Amino acid sequence: QVQLVESGGGLVQAGGSLRLSCTASEDTFSRYFMGWFRQTPGKDREFVAGISWSGINIYYADSVKGRFTISRDNAKNTVYLQMNSLKPEDTSVYYCAAKLGLPTYSDMSDMREYDYWGQGTQVTVSS
């Protein structure tokens, strides 16, 4: 059982930046594909970014491309989401998720493909 703990959320003005962190409880962290999702009330949880165990394969939703950067440090069992040029529409609860192995391109945005989830961290962007 892998436990994921997110941190780094908060309130920021539009145009500002935040860095989210997600730390895993297991040293087998490097075996997992890691994803970031977000969800606002009344909407489905949507894929934001994903990164393979090696960090070589990285994917972004079109809505965040060029503004968000996902990275990982396997030595620290941690994945990051650097969020720049934040917009009010980025306001959401952000979740990290872990999937054993490498998902297909079509599967990585499907939350049902992930094995473990964090509890979420709130990001609020004021206009």
Side-chain angles (χ1 to χ4, degrees):
Q1 185 79 9
V2 177
Q3 293 184 329
L4 303 173
V5 179
E6 300 103 332
S7 61
L11 173 64
V12 64
Q13 288 188 330
S17 299
L18 283 174
R19 189 176 82 153
L20 306 183
S21 300
C22 170
T23 301
S25 60
E26 284 196 6
D27 290 339
T28 55
F29 172 77
S30 62
R31 297 169 59 189
Y32 291 84
F33 181 93
M34 299 300 296
W36 283 98
F37 288 74
R38 64 188 182 186
Q39 188 170 24
T40 54
K43 293 187 177 181
D44 292 336
R45 194 167 296 188
E46 66 169 344
F47 175 79
V48 174
I51 186 168
S52 62
W53 68 270
S54 65
I56 293 176
N57 304 97
I58 290 177
Y59 308 91
Y60 296 100
D62 287 343
S63 59
V64 306
K65 210 172 283 185
R67 300 188 298 123
F68 290 10
T69 302
I70 188 172
S71 62
R72 68 189 294 163
D73 185 339
N74 289 337
K76 295 182 178 180
N77 294 348
T78 301
V79 61
Y80 304 96
L81 186 67
Q82 178 67 43
M83 305 185 294
N84 298 329
S85 302
L86 282 162
K87 305 175 181 179
E89 51 263 44
D90 294 317
T91 295
S92 193
V93 178
Y94 284 73
Y95 300 88
C96 68
K99 173 178 170 53
L100 190 63
L102 184 64
T104 63
Y105 182 76
S106 60
D107 285 346
M108 71 176 65
S109 60
D110 185 345
M111 60 176 293
R112 297 169 297 178
E113 291 291 322
Y114 289 78
D115 303 300
Y116 302 101
W117 290 85
Q119 82 289 351
T121 186
Q122 176 70 47
V123 172
T124 302
V125 184
S126 62
S127 57

PDB file of all heavy atoms in Angstrom, residues 86-122:
ATOM      1  N   LEU A  86      -0.378  31.458 -12.979  1.00  0.00           N
ATOM      2  CA  LEU A  86      -1.648  30.862 -12.564  1.00  0.00           C
ATOM      3  C   LEU A  86      -2.824  31.751 -12.933  1.00  0.00           C
ATOM      4  O   LEU A  86      -2.738  32.989 -12.912  1.00  0.00           O
ATOM      5  CB  LEU A  86      -1.625  30.591 -11.068  1.00  0.00           C
ATOM      6  CG  LEU A  86      -0.830  29.337 -10.674  1.00  0.00           C
ATOM      7  CD1 LEU A  86      -0.480  29.358  -9.190  1.00  0.00           C
ATOM      8  CD2 LEU A  86      -1.624  28.078 -11.007  1.00  0.00           C
ATOM      9  N   LYS A  87      -3.922  31.090 -13.264  1.00  0.00           N
ATOM     10  CA  LYS A  87      -5.157  31.760 -13.662  1.00  0.00           C
ATOM     11  C   LYS A  87      -6.265  31.372 -12.685  1.00  0.00           C
ATOM     12  O   LYS A  87      -6.218  30.302 -12.078  1.00  0.00           O
ATOM     13  CB  LYS A  87      -5.550  31.326 -15.068  1.00  0.00           C
ATOM     14  CG  LYS A  87      -4.481  31.532 -16.120  1.00  0.00           C
ATOM     15  CD  LYS A  87      -4.932  30.961 -17.459  1.00  0.00           C
ATOM     16  CE  LYS A  87      -3.852  31.131 -18.525  1.00  0.00           C
ATOM     17  NZ  LYS A  87      -4.280  30.562 -19.818  1.00  0.00           N
ATOM     18  N   PRO A  88      -7.287  32.201 -12.568  1.00  0.00           N
ATOM     19  CA  PRO A  88      -8.407  31.830 -11.689  1.00  0.00           C
ATOM     20  C   PRO A  88      -9.006  30.467 -12.038  1.00  0.00           C
ATOM     21  O   PRO A  88      -9.448  29.749 -11.136  1.00  0.00           O
ATOM     22  CB  PRO A  88      -9.408  32.972 -11.922  1.00  0.00           C
ATOM     23  CG  PRO A  88      -8.557  34.145 -12.250  1.00  0.00           C
ATOM     24  CD  PRO A  88      -7.424  33.583 -13.073  1.00  0.00           C
ATOM     25  N   GLU A  89      -9.003  30.116 -13.299  1.00  0.00           N
ATOM     26  CA  GLU A  89      -9.569  28.818 -13.701  1.00  0.00           C
ATOM     27  C   GLU A  89      -8.703  27.634 -13.287  1.00  0.00           C
ATOM     28  O   GLU A  89      -9.116  26.483 -13.430  1.00  0.00           O
ATOM     29  CB  GLU A  89      -9.817  28.771 -15.214  1.00  0.00           C
ATOM     30  CG  GLU A  89      -8.638  29.166 -16.068  1.00  0.00           C
ATOM     31  CD  GLU A  89      -8.710  30.623 -16.513  1.00  0.00           C
ATOM     32  OE1 GLU A  89      -9.039  31.491 -15.681  1.00  0.00           O
ATOM     33  OE2 GLU A  89      -8.403  30.885 -17.698  1.00  0.00           O
ATOM     34  N   ASP A  90      -7.510  27.890 -12.739  1.00  0.00           N
ATOM     35  CA  ASP A  90      -6.699  26.815 -12.184  1.00  0.00           C
ATOM     36  C   ASP A  90      -7.118  26.462 -10.760  1.00  0.00           C
ATOM     37  O   ASP A  90      -6.616  25.495 -10.180  1.00  0.00           O
ATOM     38  CB  ASP A  90      -5.211  27.212 -12.181  1.00  0.00           C
ATOM     39  CG  ASP A  90      -4.634  27.370 -13.574  1.00  0.00           C
ATOM     40  OD1 ASP A  90      -4.931  26.524 -14.437  1.00  0.00           O
ATOM     41  OD2 ASP A  90      -3.876  28.339 -13.793  1.00  0.00           O
ATOM     42  N   THR A  91      -8.012  27.254 -10.199  1.00  0.00           N
ATOM     43  CA  THR A  91      -8.512  26.979  -8.851  1.00  0.00           C
ATOM     44  C   THR A  91      -9.154  25.602  -8.801  1.00  0.00           C
ATOM     45  O   THR A  91     -10.052  25.296  -9.584  1.00  0.00           O
ATOM     46  CB  THR A  91      -9.530  28.049  -8.427  1.00  0.00           C
ATOM     47  OG1 THR A  91      -8.861  29.310  -8.339  1.00  0.00           O
ATOM     48  CG2 THR A  91     -10.159  27.706  -7.094  1.00  0.00           C
ATOM     49  N   SER A  92      -8.652  24.765  -7.887  1.00  0.00           N
ATOM     50  CA  SER A  92      -9.127  23.396  -7.821  1.00  0.00           C
ATOM     51  C   SER A  92      -8.463  22.697  -6.641  1.00  0.00           C
ATOM     52  O   SER A  92      -7.534  23.224  -6.032  1.00  0.00           O
ATOM     53  CB  SER A  92      -8.761  22.677  -9.127  1.00  0.00           C
ATOM     54  OG  SER A  92      -9.449  21.465  -9.243  1.00  0.00           O
ATOM     55  N   VAL A  93      -8.924  21.489  -6.358  1.00  0.00           N
ATOM     56  CA  VAL A  93      -8.187  20.587  -5.480  1.00  0.00           C
ATOM     57  C   VAL A  93      -7.280  19.740  -6.368  1.00  0.00           C
ATOM     58  O   VAL A  93      -7.759  19.125  -7.334  1.00  0.00           O
ATOM     59  CB  VAL A  93      -9.121  19.696  -4.652  1.00  0.00           C
ATOM     60  CG1 VAL A  93      -8.307  18.739  -3.788  1.00  0.00           C
ATOM     61  CG2 VAL A  93     -10.041  20.536  -3.779  1.00  0.00           C
ATOM     62  N   TYR A  94      -6.021  19.724  -6.040  1.00  0.00           N
ATOM     63  CA  TYR A  94      -5.030  18.995  -6.836  1.00  0.00           C
ATOM     64  C   TYR A  94      -4.656  17.697  -6.130  1.00  0.00           C
ATOM     65  O   TYR A  94      -4.372  17.701  -4.938  1.00  0.00           O
ATOM     66  CB  TYR A  94      -3.794  19.861  -7.067  1.00  0.00           C
ATOM     67  CG  TYR A  94      -4.016  20.922  -8.110  1.00  0.00           C
ATOM     68  CD1 TYR A  94      -4.808  22.034  -7.834  1.00  0.00           C
ATOM     69  CD2 TYR A  94      -3.458  20.814  -9.376  1.00  0.00           C
ATOM     70  CE1 TYR A  94      -5.048  23.009  -8.795  1.00  0.00           C
ATOM     71  CE2 TYR A  94      -3.675  21.777 -10.343  1.00  0.00           C
ATOM     72  CZ  TYR A  94      -4.480  22.868 -10.052  1.00  0.00           C
ATOM     73  OH  TYR A  94      -4.719  23.832 -11.008  1.00  0.00           O
ATOM     74  N   TYR A  95      -4.659  16.620  -6.902  1.00  0.00           N
ATOM     75  CA  TYR A  95      -4.355  15.294  -6.385  1.00  0.00           C
ATOM     76  C   TYR A  95      -3.163  14.706  -7.132  1.00  0.00           C
ATOM     77  O   TYR A  95      -3.063  14.851  -8.362  1.00  0.00           O
ATOM     78  CB  TYR A  95      -5.530  14.350  -6.579  1.00  0.00           C
ATOM     79  CG  TYR A  95      -6.811  14.753  -5.900  1.00  0.00           C
ATOM     80  CD1 TYR A  95      -7.728  15.578  -6.528  1.00  0.00           C
ATOM     81  CD2 TYR A  95      -7.111  14.279  -4.620  1.00  0.00           C
ATOM     82  CE1 TYR A  95      -8.913  15.941  -5.906  1.00  0.00           C
ATOM     83  CE2 TYR A  95      -8.286  14.629  -3.988  1.00  0.00           C
ATOM     84  CZ  TYR A  95      -9.185  15.466  -4.636  1.00  0.00           C
ATOM     85  OH  TYR A  95     -10.357  15.814  -4.016  1.00  0.00           O
ATOM     86  N   CYS A  96      -2.303  14.015  -6.399  1.00  0.00           N
ATOM     87  CA  CYS A  96      -1.312  13.213  -7.090  1.00  0.00           C
ATOM     88  C   CYS A  96      -1.769  11.755  -7.055  1.00  0.00           C
ATOM     89  O   CYS A  96      -2.541  11.349  -6.180  1.00  0.00           O
ATOM     90  CB  CYS A  96       0.077  13.359  -6.498  1.00  0.00           C
ATOM     91  SG  CYS A  96       0.301  12.671  -4.860  1.00  0.00           S
ATOM     92  N   ALA A  97      -1.305  11.006  -8.031  1.00  0.00           N
ATOM     93  CA  ALA A  97      -1.701   9.619  -8.164  1.00  0.00           C
ATOM     94  C   ALA A  97      -0.531   8.805  -8.690  1.00  0.00           C
ATOM     95  O   ALA A  97       0.325   9.331  -9.411  1.00  0.00           O
ATOM     96  CB  ALA A  97      -2.893   9.502  -9.114  1.00  0.00           C
ATOM     97  N   ALA A  98      -0.525   7.520  -8.334  1.00  0.00           N
ATOM     98  CA  ALA A  98       0.558   6.629  -8.725  1.00  0.00           C
ATOM     99  C   ALA A  98       0.017   5.421  -9.464  1.00  0.00           C
ATOM    100  O   ALA A  98      -0.990   4.840  -9.055  1.00  0.00           O
ATOM    101  CB  ALA A  98       1.333   6.160  -7.487  1.00  0.00           C
ATOM    102  N   LYS A  99       0.697   5.088 -10.541  1.00  0.00           N
ATOM    103  CA  LYS A  99       0.325   3.913 -11.310  1.00  0.00           C
ATOM    104  C   LYS A  99       1.577   3.074 -11.535  1.00  0.00           C
ATOM    105  O   LYS A  99       2.583   3.579 -12.033  1.00  0.00           O
ATOM    106  CB  LYS A  99      -0.285   4.292 -12.652  1.00  0.00           C
ATOM    107  CG  LYS A  99      -0.531   3.078 -13.532  1.00  0.00           C
ATOM    108  CD  LYS A  99      -1.163   3.393 -14.827  1.00  0.00           C
ATOM    109  CE  LYS A  99      -1.167   2.174 -15.752  1.00  0.00           C
ATOM    110  NZ  LYS A  99      -1.775   0.978 -15.101  1.00  0.00           N
ATOM    111  N   LEU A 100       1.490   1.789 -11.194  1.00  0.00           N
ATOM    112  CA  LEU A 100       2.612   0.893 -11.404  1.00  0.00           C
ATOM    113  C   LEU A 100       2.819   0.685 -12.895  1.00  0.00           C
ATOM    114  O   LEU A 100       1.872   0.407 -13.635  1.00  0.00           O
ATOM    115  CB  LEU A 100       2.346  -0.440 -10.705  1.00  0.00           C
ATOM    116  CG  LEU A 100       3.510  -1.414 -10.615  1.00  0.00           C
ATOM    117  CD1 LEU A 100       4.642  -0.815  -9.790  1.00  0.00           C
ATOM    118  CD2 LEU A 100       3.060  -2.732  -9.999  1.00  0.00           C
ATOM    119  N   GLY A 101       4.033   0.873 -13.350  1.00  0.00           N
ATOM    120  CA  GLY A 101       4.331   0.687 -14.756  1.00  0.00           C
ATOM    121  C   GLY A 101       4.074   1.950 -15.555  1.00  0.00           C
ATOM    122  O   GLY A 101       3.925   3.038 -15.019  1.00  0.00           O
ATOM    123  N   LEU A 102       4.012   1.804 -16.844  1.00  0.00           N
ATOM    124  CA  LEU A 102       3.845   2.937 -17.765  1.00  0.00           C
ATOM    125  C   LEU A 102       2.517   2.802 -18.494  1.00  0.00           C
ATOM    126  O   LEU A 102       2.315   1.856 -19.243  1.00  0.00           O
ATOM    127  CB  LEU A 102       4.989   2.960 -18.776  1.00  0.00           C
ATOM    128  CG  LEU A 102       5.007   4.137 -19.758  1.00  0.00           C
ATOM    129  CD1 LEU A 102       5.208   5.452 -19.022  1.00  0.00           C
ATOM    130  CD2 LEU A 102       6.092   3.930 -20.804  1.00  0.00           C
ATOM    131  N   PRO A 103       1.617   3.752 -18.287  1.00  0.00           N
ATOM    132  CA  PRO A 103       0.332   3.659 -19.003  1.00  0.00           C
ATOM    133  C   PRO A 103       0.488   4.038 -20.465  1.00  0.00           C
ATOM    134  O   PRO A 103       1.454   4.682 -20.864  1.00  0.00           O
ATOM    135  CB  PRO A 103      -0.533   4.687 -18.267  1.00  0.00           C
ATOM    136  CG  PRO A 103       0.448   5.698 -17.770  1.00  0.00           C
ATOM    137  CD  PRO A 103       1.701   4.941 -17.442  1.00  0.00           C
ATOM    138  N   THR A 104      -0.471   3.628 -21.249  1.00  0.00           N
ATOM    139  CA  THR A 104      -0.511   4.079 -22.623  1.00  0.00           C
ATOM    140  C   THR A 104      -0.859   5.557 -22.630  1.00  0.00           C
ATOM    141  O   THR A 104      -1.369   6.105 -21.650  1.00  0.00           O
ATOM    142  CB  THR A 104      -1.541   3.305 -23.442  1.00  0.00           C
ATOM    143  OG1 THR A 104      -2.845   3.575 -22.892  1.00  0.00           O
ATOM    144  CG2 THR A 104      -1.270   1.808 -23.391  1.00  0.00           C
ATOM    145  N   TYR A 105      -0.618   6.187 -23.755  1.00  0.00           N
ATOM    146  CA  TYR A 105      -0.901   7.616 -23.864  1.00  0.00           C
ATOM    147  C   TYR A 105      -2.373   7.890 -23.604  1.00  0.00           C
ATOM    148  O   TYR A 105      -2.749   8.876 -22.968  1.00  0.00           O
ATOM    149  CB  TYR A 105      -0.497   8.118 -25.248  1.00  0.00           C
ATOM    150  CG  TYR A 105      -0.714   9.593 -25.443  1.00  0.00           C
ATOM    151  CD1 TYR A 105       0.154  10.524 -24.883  1.00  0.00           C
ATOM    152  CD2 TYR A 105      -1.798  10.068 -26.171  1.00  0.00           C
ATOM    153  CE1 TYR A 105      -0.045  11.879 -25.046  1.00  0.00           C
ATOM    154  CE2 TYR A 105      -2.006  11.423 -26.347  1.00  0.00           C
ATOM    155  CZ  TYR A 105      -1.124  12.325 -25.781  1.00  0.00           C
ATOM    156  OH  TYR A 105      -1.328  13.669 -25.943  1.00  0.00           O
ATOM    157  N   SER A 106      -3.220   7.016 -24.079  1.00  0.00           N
ATOM    158  CA  SER A 106      -4.661   7.238 -23.889  1.00  0.00           C
ATOM    159  C   SER A 106      -5.101   6.935 -22.468  1.00  0.00           C
ATOM    160  O   SER A 106      -6.090   7.483 -22.000  1.00  0.00           O
ATOM    161  CB  SER A 106      -5.464   6.387 -24.877  1.00  0.00           C
ATOM    162  OG  SER A 106      -5.178   5.020 -24.681  1.00  0.00           O
ATOM    163  N   ASP A 107      -4.390   6.058 -21.771  1.00  0.00           N
ATOM    164  CA  ASP A 107      -4.787   5.658 -20.418  1.00  0.00           C
ATOM    165  C   ASP A 107      -4.309   6.620 -19.338  1.00  0.00           C
ATOM    166  O   ASP A 107      -4.901   6.678 -18.263  1.00  0.00           O
ATOM    167  CB  ASP A 107      -4.253   4.261 -20.102  1.00  0.00           C
ATOM    168  CG  ASP A 107      -5.030   3.163 -20.803  1.00  0.00           C
ATOM    169  OD1 ASP A 107      -6.126   3.448 -21.319  1.00  0.00           O
ATOM    170  OD2 ASP A 107      -4.534   2.019 -20.848  1.00  0.00           O
ATOM    171  N   MET A 108      -3.253   7.378 -19.596  1.00  0.00           N
ATOM    172  CA  MET A 108      -2.660   8.142 -18.492  1.00  0.00           C
ATOM    173  C   MET A 108      -3.575   9.233 -17.980  1.00  0.00           C
ATOM    174  O   MET A 108      -3.440   9.691 -16.855  1.00  0.00           O
ATOM    175  CB  MET A 108      -1.330   8.746 -18.922  1.00  0.00           C
ATOM    176  CG  MET A 108      -1.438   9.888 -19.920  1.00  0.00           C
ATOM    177  SD  MET A 108       0.167  10.566 -20.252  1.00  0.00           S
ATOM    178  CE  MET A 108       0.926   9.149 -21.034  1.00  0.00           C
ATOM    179  N   SER A 109      -4.526   9.663 -18.759  1.00  0.00           N
ATOM    180  CA  SER A 109      -5.451  10.694 -18.301  1.00  0.00           C
ATOM    181  C   SER A 109      -6.711  10.099 -17.675  1.00  0.00           C
ATOM    182  O   SER A 109      -7.600  10.841 -17.270  1.00  0.00           O
ATOM    183  CB  SER A 109      -5.832  11.604 -19.475  1.00  0.00           C
ATOM    184  OG  SER A 109      -6.462  10.859 -20.494  1.00  0.00           O
ATOM    185  N   ASP A 110      -6.785   8.782 -17.616  1.00  0.00           N
ATOM    186  CA  ASP A 110      -7.950   8.097 -17.057  1.00  0.00           C
ATOM    187  C   ASP A 110      -7.680   7.784 -15.596  1.00  0.00           C
ATOM    188  O   ASP A 110      -6.820   6.945 -15.284  1.00  0.00           O
ATOM    189  CB  ASP A 110      -8.209   6.812 -17.850  1.00  0.00           C
ATOM    190  CG  ASP A 110      -9.479   6.099 -17.414  1.00  0.00           C
ATOM    191  OD1 ASP A 110     -10.000   6.420 -16.335  1.00  0.00           O
ATOM    192  OD2 ASP A 110      -9.944   5.221 -18.155  1.00  0.00           O
ATOM    193  N   MET A 111      -8.410   8.424 -14.701  1.00  0.00           N
ATOM    194  CA  MET A 111      -8.150   8.255 -13.277  1.00  0.00           C
ATOM    195  C   MET A 111      -8.332   6.813 -12.828  1.00  0.00           C
ATOM    196  O   MET A 111      -7.746   6.390 -11.831  1.00  0.00           O
ATOM    197  CB  MET A 111      -9.027   9.181 -12.455  1.00  0.00           C
ATOM    198  CG  MET A 111     -10.512   8.980 -12.613  1.00  0.00           C
ATOM    199  SD  MET A 111     -11.471  10.054 -11.512  1.00  0.00           S
ATOM    200  CE  MET A 111     -11.038   9.369  -9.922  1.00  0.00           C
ATOM    201  N   ARG A 112      -9.108   6.028 -13.565  1.00  0.00           N
ATOM    202  CA  ARG A 112      -9.342   4.632 -13.174  1.00  0.00           C
ATOM    203  C   ARG A 112      -8.086   3.778 -13.352  1.00  0.00           C
ATOM    204  O   ARG A 112      -8.011   2.667 -12.822  1.00  0.00           O
ATOM    205  CB  ARG A 112     -10.491   4.055 -13.997  1.00  0.00           C
ATOM    206  CG  ARG A 112     -11.818   4.757 -13.769  1.00  0.00           C
ATOM    207  CD  ARG A 112     -12.845   4.333 -14.784  1.00  0.00           C
ATOM    208  NE  ARG A 112     -12.450   4.694 -16.147  1.00  0.00           N
ATOM    209  CZ  ARG A 112     -13.166   4.405 -17.220  1.00  0.00           C
ATOM    210  NH1 ARG A 112     -14.310   3.755 -17.099  1.00  0.00           N
ATOM    211  NH2 ARG A 112     -12.743   4.768 -18.419  1.00  0.00           N
ATOM    212  N   GLU A 113      -7.110   4.289 -14.071  1.00  0.00           N
ATOM    213  CA  GLU A 113      -5.890   3.526 -14.318  1.00  0.00           C
ATOM    214  C   GLU A 113      -4.906   3.597 -13.153  1.00  0.00           C
ATOM    215  O   GLU A 113      -3.944   2.834 -13.110  1.00  0.00           O
ATOM    216  CB  GLU A 113      -5.190   4.053 -15.578  1.00  0.00           C
ATOM    217  CG  GLU A 113      -5.961   3.759 -16.862  1.00  0.00           C
ATOM    218  CD  GLU A 113      -5.975   2.279 -17.184  1.00  0.00           C
ATOM    219  OE1 GLU A 113      -4.956   1.599 -16.968  1.00  0.00           O
ATOM    220  OE2 GLU A 113      -7.026   1.804 -17.653  1.00  0.00           O
ATOM    221  N   TYR A 114      -5.129   4.512 -12.231  1.00  0.00           N
ATOM    222  CA  TYR A 114      -4.163   4.752 -11.162  1.00  0.00           C
ATOM    223  C   TYR A 114      -4.483   3.892  -9.938  1.00  0.00           C
ATOM    224  O   TYR A 114      -5.639   3.661  -9.600  1.00  0.00           O
ATOM    225  CB  TYR A 114      -4.130   6.238 -10.814  1.00  0.00           C
ATOM    226  CG  TYR A 114      -3.484   7.039 -11.919  1.00  0.00           C
ATOM    227  CD1 TYR A 114      -4.198   7.343 -13.072  1.00  0.00           C
ATOM    228  CD2 TYR A 114      -2.157   7.444 -11.827  1.00  0.00           C
ATOM    229  CE1 TYR A 114      -3.598   8.035 -14.119  1.00  0.00           C
ATOM    230  CE2 TYR A 114      -1.556   8.149 -12.857  1.00  0.00           C
ATOM    231  CZ  TYR A 114      -2.279   8.438 -13.996  1.00  0.00           C
ATOM    232  OH  TYR A 114      -1.685   9.136 -15.031  1.00  0.00           O
ATOM    233  N   ASP A 115      -3.405   3.473  -9.271  1.00  0.00           N
ATOM    234  CA  ASP A 115      -3.538   2.537  -8.156  1.00  0.00           C
ATOM    235  C   ASP A 115      -3.669   3.226  -6.808  1.00  0.00           C
ATOM    236  O   ASP A 115      -4.325   2.710  -5.896  1.00  0.00           O
ATOM    237  CB  ASP A 115      -2.304   1.620  -8.131  1.00  0.00           C
ATOM    238  CG  ASP A 115      -2.109   0.876  -9.441  1.00  0.00           C
ATOM    239  OD1 ASP A 115      -3.030   0.118  -9.810  1.00  0.00           O
ATOM    240  OD2 ASP A 115      -1.069   1.060 -10.095  1.00  0.00           O
ATOM    241  N   TYR A 116      -3.039   4.380  -6.658  1.00  0.00           N
ATOM    242  CA  TYR A 116      -3.034   5.065  -5.366  1.00  0.00           C
ATOM    243  C   TYR A 116      -3.226   6.570  -5.572  1.00  0.00           C
ATOM    244  O   TYR A 116      -2.772   7.129  -6.572  1.00  0.00           O
ATOM    245  CB  TYR A 116      -1.707   4.830  -4.634  1.00  0.00           C
ATOM    246  CG  TYR A 116      -1.399   3.367  -4.407  1.00  0.00           C
ATOM    247  CD1 TYR A 116      -0.495   2.693  -5.218  1.00  0.00           C
ATOM    248  CD2 TYR A 116      -2.052   2.661  -3.401  1.00  0.00           C
ATOM    249  CE1 TYR A 116      -0.237   1.355  -5.022  1.00  0.00           C
ATOM    250  CE2 TYR A 116      -1.794   1.320  -3.201  1.00  0.00           C
ATOM    251  CZ  TYR A 116      -0.887   0.671  -4.018  1.00  0.00           C
ATOM    252  OH  TYR A 116      -0.636  -0.668  -3.816  1.00  0.00           O
ATOM    253  N   TRP A 117      -3.869   7.191  -4.566  1.00  0.00           N
ATOM    254  CA  TRP A 117      -4.176   8.616  -4.625  1.00  0.00           C
ATOM    255  C   TRP A 117      -3.811   9.296  -3.315  1.00  0.00           C
ATOM    256  O   TRP A 117      -3.910   8.697  -2.245  1.00  0.00           O
ATOM    257  CB  TRP A 117      -5.675   8.829  -4.877  1.00  0.00           C
ATOM    258  CG  TRP A 117      -6.089   8.439  -6.254  1.00  0.00           C
ATOM    259  CD1 TRP A 117      -6.437   7.191  -6.694  1.00  0.00           C
ATOM    260  CD2 TRP A 117      -6.172   9.294  -7.391  1.00  0.00           C
ATOM    261  NE1 TRP A 117      -6.741   7.232  -8.028  1.00  0.00           N
ATOM    262  CE2 TRP A 117      -6.593   8.509  -8.481  1.00  0.00           C
ATOM    263  CE3 TRP A 117      -5.949  10.655  -7.590  1.00  0.00           C
ATOM    264  CZ2 TRP A 117      -6.784   9.046  -9.759  1.00  0.00           C
ATOM    265  CZ3 TRP A 117      -6.143  11.190  -8.850  1.00  0.00           C
ATOM    266  CH2 TRP A 117      -6.551  10.377  -9.925  1.00  0.00           C
ATOM    267  N   GLY A 118      -3.428  10.561  -3.428  1.00  0.00           N
ATOM    268  CA  GLY A 118      -3.268  11.384  -2.247  1.00  0.00           C
ATOM    269  C   GLY A 118      -4.603  11.976  -1.823  1.00  0.00           C
ATOM    270  O   GLY A 118      -5.629  11.764  -2.471  1.00  0.00           O
ATOM    271  N   GLN A 119      -4.556  12.744  -0.746  1.00  0.00           N
ATOM    272  CA  GLN A 119      -5.790  13.289  -0.181  1.00  0.00           C
ATOM    273  C   GLN A 119      -6.187  14.609  -0.835  1.00  0.00           C
ATOM    274  O   GLN A 119      -7.298  15.082  -0.647  1.00  0.00           O
ATOM    275  CB  GLN A 119      -5.625  13.494   1.335  1.00  0.00           C
ATOM    276  CG  GLN A 119      -4.903  14.782   1.746  1.00  0.00           C
ATOM    277  CD  GLN A 119      -3.421  14.782   1.449  1.00  0.00           C
ATOM    278  OE1 GLN A 119      -2.835  13.771   1.071  1.00  0.00           O
ATOM    279  NE2 GLN A 119      -2.783  15.931   1.627  1.00  0.00           N
ATOM    280  N   GLY A 120      -5.277  15.201  -1.601  1.00  0.00           N
ATOM    281  CA  GLY A 120      -5.574  16.449  -2.300  1.00  0.00           C
ATOM    282  C   GLY A 120      -5.096  17.674  -1.542  1.00  0.00           C
ATOM    283  O   GLY A 120      -5.017  17.681  -0.312  1.00  0.00           O
ATOM    284  N   THR A 121      -4.801  18.709  -2.293  1.00  0.00           N
ATOM    285  CA  THR A 121      -4.420  19.992  -1.709  1.00  0.00           C
ATOM    286  C   THR A 121      -5.109  21.104  -2.498  1.00  0.00           C
ATOM    287  O   THR A 121      -5.144  21.078  -3.733  1.00  0.00           O
ATOM    288  CB  THR A 121      -2.884  20.169  -1.694  1.00  0.00           C
ATOM    289  OG1 THR A 121      -2.531  21.368  -1.004  1.00  0.00           O
ATOM    290  CG2 THR A 121      -2.296  20.206  -3.100  1.00  0.00           C
ATOM    291  N   GLN A 122      -5.666  22.056  -1.783  1.00  0.00           N
ATOM    292  CA  GLN A 122      -6.451  23.123  -2.409  1.00  0.00           C
ATOM    293  C   GLN A 122      -5.544  24.206  -2.973  1.00  0.00           C
ATOM    294  O   GLN A 122      -4.638  24.701  -2.284  1.00  0.00           O
ATOM    295  CB  GLN A 122      -7.413  23.753  -1.395  1.00  0.00           C
ATOM    296  CG  GLN A 122      -8.216  24.936  -1.927  1.00  0.00           C
ATOM    297  CD  GLN A 122      -9.262  24.508  -2.946  1.00  0.00           C
ATOM    298  OE1 GLN A 122     -10.004  23.561  -2.729  1.00  0.00           O
ATOM    299  NE2 GLN A 122      -9.361  25.253  -4.049  1.00  0.00           N
TER     300      GLN A 122
END
